[in-house]
mmCIF file of all heavy atoms in Angstrom:
data_model
loop_
_atom_site.group_PDB
_atom_site.id
_atom_site.type_symbol
_atom_site.label_atom_id
_atom_site.label_comp_id
_atom_site.label_asym_id
_atom_site.label_seq_id
_atom_site.Cartn_x
_atom_site.Cartn_y
_atom_site.Cartn_z
ATOM 1 N N THR A 539 -1.904 22.318 -8.601
ATOM 2 C CA THR A 539 -1.262 22.895 -9.807
ATOM 3 C C THR A 539 -0.551 21.809 -10.599
ATOM 4 O O THR A 539 -0.661 21.741 -11.827
ATOM 5 C CB THR A 539 -0.284 23.999 -9.393
ATOM 6 O OG1 THR A 539 -0.926 24.880 -8.475
ATOM 7 C CG2 THR A 539 0.227 24.790 -10.599
ATOM 8 N N ASP A 540 0.230 21.013 -9.916
ATOM 9 C CA ASP A 540 0.927 19.955 -10.585
ATOM 10 C C ASP A 540 1.006 18.758 -9.594
ATOM 11 O O ASP A 540 1.961 18.653 -8.802
ATOM 12 C CB ASP A 540 2.338 20.390 -11.021
ATOM 13 C CG ASP A 540 2.981 19.307 -11.868
ATOM 14 O OD1 ASP A 540 2.600 18.145 -11.816
ATOM 15 O OD2 ASP A 540 3.871 19.662 -12.655
ATOM 16 N N PHE A 541 0.027 17.852 -9.703
ATOM 17 C CA PHE A 541 -0.115 16.771 -8.746
ATOM 18 C C PHE A 541 1.141 15.937 -8.727
ATOM 19 O O PHE A 541 1.618 15.491 -7.684
ATOM 20 C CB PHE A 541 -1.336 15.950 -9.111
ATOM 21 C CG PHE A 541 -1.866 15.084 -8.016
ATOM 22 C CD1 PHE A 541 -2.388 15.640 -6.839
ATOM 23 C CD2 PHE A 541 -1.794 13.706 -8.072
ATOM 24 C CE1 PHE A 541 -2.842 14.860 -5.842
ATOM 25 C CE2 PHE A 541 -2.273 12.880 -7.055
ATOM 26 C CZ PHE A 541 -2.787 13.481 -5.914
ATOM 27 N N SER A 542 1.701 15.656 -9.911
ATOM 28 C CA SER A 542 2.848 14.804 -10.067
ATOM 29 C C SER A 542 4.110 15.389 -9.422
ATOM 30 O O SER A 542 4.841 14.702 -8.665
ATOM 31 C CB SER A 542 3.070 14.503 -11.537
ATOM 32 O OG SER A 542 4.186 13.717 -11.690
ATOM 33 N N GLU A 543 4.363 16.662 -9.679
ATOM 34 C CA GLU A 543 5.488 17.338 -9.104
ATOM 35 C C GLU A 543 5.384 17.458 -7.593
ATOM 36 O O GLU A 543 6.347 17.287 -6.840
ATOM 37 C CB GLU A 543 5.599 18.725 -9.743
ATOM 38 C CG GLU A 543 6.998 19.359 -9.680
ATOM 39 C CD GLU A 543 6.998 20.745 -10.323
ATOM 40 O OE1 GLU A 543 6.508 20.855 -11.408
ATOM 41 O OE2 GLU A 543 7.482 21.674 -9.612
ATOM 42 N N TRP A 544 4.093 17.794 -7.190
ATOM 43 C CA TRP A 544 3.872 17.860 -5.719
ATOM 44 C C TRP A 544 4.166 16.526 -5.048
ATOM 45 O O TRP A 544 4.808 16.511 -3.993
ATOM 46 C CB TRP A 544 2.359 18.232 -5.536
ATOM 47 C CG TRP A 544 1.848 17.999 -4.182
ATOM 48 C CD1 TRP A 544 1.930 18.865 -3.102
ATOM 49 C CD2 TRP A 544 1.201 16.839 -3.630
ATOM 50 N NE1 TRP A 544 1.382 18.300 -1.988
ATOM 51 C CE2 TRP A 544 0.915 17.046 -2.298
ATOM 52 C CE3 TRP A 544 0.875 15.635 -4.221
ATOM 53 C CZ2 TRP A 544 0.310 16.074 -1.488
ATOM 54 C CZ3 TRP A 544 0.252 14.659 -3.427
ATOM 55 C CH2 TRP A 544 -0.037 14.910 -2.064
ATOM 56 N N TYR A 545 3.727 15.430 -5.656
ATOM 57 C CA TYR A 545 3.952 14.121 -5.075
ATOM 58 C C TYR A 545 5.414 13.849 -4.826
ATOM 59 O O TYR A 545 5.848 13.452 -3.758
ATOM 60 C CB TYR A 545 3.383 13.048 -6.010
ATOM 61 C CG TYR A 545 3.764 11.656 -5.577
ATOM 62 C CD1 TYR A 545 3.123 11.006 -4.547
ATOM 63 C CD2 TYR A 545 4.870 11.020 -6.191
ATOM 64 C CE1 TYR A 545 3.505 9.767 -4.110
ATOM 65 C CE2 TYR A 545 5.272 9.760 -5.755
ATOM 66 C CZ TYR A 545 4.590 9.161 -4.728
ATOM 67 O OH TYR A 545 5.020 7.915 -4.306
ATOM 68 N N THR A 546 6.227 14.075 -5.881
ATOM 69 C CA THR A 546 7.626 13.782 -5.773
ATOM 70 C C THR A 546 8.319 14.698 -4.713
ATOM 71 O O THR A 546 9.134 14.254 -3.946
ATOM 72 C CB THR A 546 8.313 14.000 -7.141
ATOM 73 O OG1 THR A 546 7.678 13.173 -8.053
ATOM 74 C CG2 THR A 546 9.785 13.640 -7.102
ATOM 75 N N ALA A 547 7.892 15.986 -4.699
ATOM 76 C CA ALA A 547 8.473 16.913 -3.722
ATOM 77 C C ALA A 547 8.128 16.443 -2.300
ATOM 78 O O ALA A 547 9.019 16.498 -1.388
ATOM 79 C CB ALA A 547 7.934 18.305 -3.957
ATOM 80 N N VAL A 548 6.939 15.967 -2.089
ATOM 81 C CA VAL A 548 6.591 15.510 -0.711
ATOM 82 C C VAL A 548 7.406 14.291 -0.301
ATOM 83 O O VAL A 548 7.951 14.194 0.757
ATOM 84 C CB VAL A 548 5.050 15.176 -0.585
ATOM 85 C CG1 VAL A 548 4.714 14.552 0.736
ATOM 86 C CG2 VAL A 548 4.256 16.471 -0.783
ATOM 87 N N ALA A 549 7.534 13.350 -1.236
ATOM 88 C CA ALA A 549 8.267 12.115 -0.991
ATOM 89 C C ALA A 549 9.682 12.458 -0.581
ATOM 90 O O ALA A 549 10.289 11.865 0.323
ATOM 91 C CB ALA A 549 8.207 11.161 -2.147
ATOM 92 N N LEU A 550 10.279 13.423 -1.303
ATOM 93 C CA LEU A 550 11.673 13.785 -1.069
ATOM 94 C C LEU A 550 11.825 14.620 0.198
ATOM 95 O O LEU A 550 12.659 14.370 1.034
ATOM 96 C CB LEU A 550 12.251 14.561 -2.279
ATOM 97 C CG LEU A 550 12.436 13.752 -3.567
ATOM 98 C CD1 LEU A 550 12.802 14.715 -4.730
ATOM 99 C CD2 LEU A 550 13.519 12.710 -3.420
ATOM 100 N N ARG A 551 10.991 15.668 0.283
ATOM 101 C CA ARG A 551 11.190 16.631 1.375
ATOM 102 C C ARG A 551 10.716 16.172 2.693
ATOM 103 O O ARG A 551 11.160 16.657 3.721
ATOM 104 C CB ARG A 551 10.654 18.004 0.943
ATOM 105 C CG ARG A 551 11.387 18.529 -0.220
ATOM 106 C CD ARG A 551 11.109 19.981 -0.484
ATOM 107 N NE ARG A 551 11.794 20.413 -1.673
ATOM 108 C CZ ARG A 551 11.403 21.449 -2.411
ATOM 109 N NH1 ARG A 551 10.425 22.190 -2.059
ATOM 110 N NH2 ARG A 551 12.063 21.726 -3.516
ATOM 111 N N ALA A 552 9.760 15.285 2.711
ATOM 112 C CA ALA A 552 9.343 14.703 3.956
ATOM 113 C C ALA A 552 10.363 13.587 4.396
ATOM 114 O O ALA A 552 10.183 12.924 5.401
ATOM 115 C CB ALA A 552 7.935 14.095 3.873
ATOM 116 N N GLU A 553 11.374 13.399 3.536
ATOM 117 C CA GLU A 553 12.461 12.437 3.788
ATOM 118 C C GLU A 553 11.932 11.019 3.916
ATOM 119 O O GLU A 553 12.304 10.252 4.821
ATOM 120 C CB GLU A 553 13.257 12.881 5.059
ATOM 121 C CG GLU A 553 13.972 14.198 4.829
ATOM 122 C CD GLU A 553 14.878 14.634 5.950
ATOM 123 O OE1 GLU A 553 14.990 13.880 6.936
ATOM 124 O OE2 GLU A 553 15.382 15.774 5.866
#
Side-chain angles (χ1 to χ4, degrees):
T539 310
D540 188 337
F541 199 66
S542 177
E543 201 181 310
W544 165 86
Y545 169 81
T546 303
V548 173
L550 291 171
R551 295 194 185 159
E553 297 182 4

